[in-house]
Amino acid sequence: MHANTPPSSYWWPIVAAATALIVVHGFGRFVYTPLLPLLVDDGLISLPQAASLATWNYIGYLTGAMLALFLYQRGFGRQALLSMLVGNALITLIQVWATYYPLLAGLRLLNGIGNGVVFVLAPALVLEWLVTQSKAHHSGLMYLGVGVGILGSSLLVDLTYPWLQGATRWIPAAAVALPLALWSAWYLGRLPGHGPVTGTPKDDHSALWDRASTPLFLAYAGAGLGYILPMTFLPAVAADWNIKMVPSAWLLVALASLPSTWLWNHLGARIGDKAALLWNYAIQAISILLLLTLEHKSGLFLSALLMGGSFLGAVLLTQRLARTLHPHQGPRLSAALIALYGFTQLTGPWLAKLGIESGATLSSTFIWGFGALVWAFVLMLWVPAKVPSPKT
């Protein structure tokens, strides 16, 4: 395929975007979750430092997502996507030599920036091409890359941890991420155009925060805090409780996440996105409640399965319902959702760090996530299921 030549099959662009998400989200971001207890045991970092590293990564993710929107609107989306995709994999490789905490914190920040840029721009590029092919209904399949990346990173850590130590534990992720990033960048760089698709609705600049959308946005903010604590610290909780699980808690999360995109997409289409989101937030809240009340292997097992099988559904359903309420908002809607979800994600590890330093157990800090998901569920009750009819 030559530069700007349409591919012969719409599946390959979807695979290329999913591969980009595998690189930045699986091997760039979430590989840190199963590595966290190992890095602490190795003496490379302390538990409070581990929480701080997660916060720096989430700050980078939020910054990168906003940067992506800025660059996209000014016509630099393609260049930013390709450079940040390969750069993210290179940063994962450089972490192999990061034995000094401030250096590692800086690299995790940069890793998050690259992740945010790619997570916004790769799906945007491919979605625009799919629209021109009348295949936009397949766009959700790109996010399977998140589940595949989580599963792949978990398997890599489980298979290699006996033979590695300290910073060298990043080697397997880097070895897989770099070739995948190069292939994905090569393919995505040859897709036609990276600007708004002709004929799509223009942003009407109407109010984003109105009676219909405000509770949806605030509920999504709660979901960001709710899911990020178990998605960051489940393996660390297992280590804290001296529980050895086969498969590991993180591998259970990964396995449960694989069919979840299709499941929640199908459920939302069948019963409505609002109803599906209510079920989704209830399941996420129950997953944390089980961890708080069943402080043994069964609690970890159930929490991992329920959270892994639901967190991607919240993203998919909220994006779709928000666009139903504001069909002409364009990139402003994406920016608002990314900012809310990203900001509350970075507060989760910070709250955990404060709790640990005050003498709380790591698992007990999950109460913040449970409360946030109850908040999300209650607010969803005020969200209309469809666009309110205009007053006449």
Side-chain angles (χ1 to χ4, degrees):
M1 183 177 67
H2 299 290
N4 296 325
T5 300
S8 57
S9 170
Y10 62 86
W11 288 113
W12 281 110
I14 291 174
V15 171
T19 301
L21 300 187
I22 290 172
V23 171
V24 300
H25 233 55
F27 297 115
R29 183 182 189 181
F30 278 126
V31 72
Y32 177 68
T33 300
L35 284 179
L36 189 157
L38 299 174
L39 297 176
V40 172
D41 286 345
D42 293 342
L44 184 68
I45 54 175
S46 66
L47 190 55
Q49 285 176 331
S52 294
L53 286 176
T55 299
W56 283 116
N57 190 250
Y58 301 147
I59 290 173
Y61 176 72
L62 176 59
T63 303
M66 297 299 98
L67 178 62
L69 184 65
F70 175 84
L71 294 171
Y72 175 84
Q73 291 177 321
R74 283 153 183 80
F76 298 106
R78 180 187 297 273
Q79 299 94 314
L81 168 60
L82 303 184
S83 60
M84 289 292 186
L85 175 54
V86 177
N88 185 273
L90 288 173
I91 289 168
T92 302
L93 176 61
I94 294 170
Q95 288 169 171
V96 172
W97 295 278
T99 58
Y100 183 50
Y101 171 75
L103 173 60
L104 184 56
L107 290 171
R108 295 307 293 165
L109 174 66
L110 293 174
N111 182 283
I113 292 173
N115 183 13
V117 170
V118 174
F119 198 78
V120 172
L121 293 181
L125 169 61
V126 175
L127 174 59
E128 286 161 9
W129 184 83
L130 289 172
V131 168
T132 66
Q133 307 300 308
S134 300
K135 300 292 185 181
H137 56 288
H138 291 299
S139 61
L141 296 176
M142 292 183 283
Y143 294 97
L144 286 171
V146 178
V148 172
I150 292 173
L151 177 60
S153 63
S154 176
L155 288 173
L156 274 182
V157 173
D158 285 351
L159 291 172
T160 61
Y161 81 88
W163 298 283
L164 300 171
Q165 184 79 11
T168 62
R169 295 190 184 278
W170 297 103
I171 290 175
V176 176
L178 194 52
L180 290 180
L182 290 171
W183 177 82
S184 179
W186 172 82
Y187 196 98
L188 293 175
R190 283 155 176 76
L191 275 183
H194 196 277
V197 177
T198 303
T200 55
K202 293 183 178 179
D203 189 343
D204 61 6
H205 296 287
S206 58
L208 254 184
W209 295 76
D210 58 19
R211 183 175 295 182
S213 63
T214 295
L216 176 66
F217 291 161
L218 294 178
Y220 195 52
L225 173 58
Y227 104 99
I228 204 60
L229 285 164
M231 289 295 289
T232 303
F233 296 116
L234 264 183
V237 169
D240 192 40
W241 291 352
N242 294 316
I243 292 177
K244 301 292 184 182
M245 292 180 60
V246 179
S248 67
W250 188 241
L251 183 55
L252 287 172
V253 169
L255 290 170
S257 72
L258 284 180
S260 67
T261 301
W262 177 88
L263 173 65
W264 288 106
N265 183 73
H266 178 74
L267 187 62
R270 187 175 181 86
I271 68 174
D273 290 337
K274 174 185 174 178
L277 268 171
L278 285 168
W279 278 104
N280 185 283
Y281 290 153
I283 290 171
Q284 288 193 59
I286 290 170
S287 76
I288 296 180
L289 183 63
L290 289 170
L291 192 74
L292 292 168
T293 56
L294 301 176
E295 294 190 358
H296 47 72
K297 186 177 291 188
S298 60
L300 275 170
F301 182 89
L302 293 171
S303 181
L305 284 180
L306 293 178
M307 184 57 72
S310 56
F311 78 97
L312 285 176
V315 177
L316 182 156
L317 294 168
T318 301
Q319 292 276 353
R320 192 162 64 190
L321 182 54
R323 289 195 176 277
T324 300
L325 299 177
H326 288 290
H328 304 296
Q329 284 291 355
R332 293 172 63 216
L333 178 62
S334 297
L337 291 172
I338 291 166
L340 285 169
Y341 205 57
F343 176 75
T344 52
Q345 281 181 65
L346 70 89
T347 62
W350 176 72
L351 289 170
K353 177 176 179 289
L354 290 181
I356 294 166
E357 291 177 342
S358 300
T361 63
L362 177 59
S363 59
S364 67
T365 65
F366 283 30
I367 191 66
W368 291 102
F370 175 73
L373 286 163
V374 172
W375 156 280
F377 180 90
V378 171
L379 282 169
M380 277 303 304
L381 297 173
W382 274 270
V383 177
K386 58 183 179 180
V387 181
S389 302
K391 293 181 180 180
T392 57

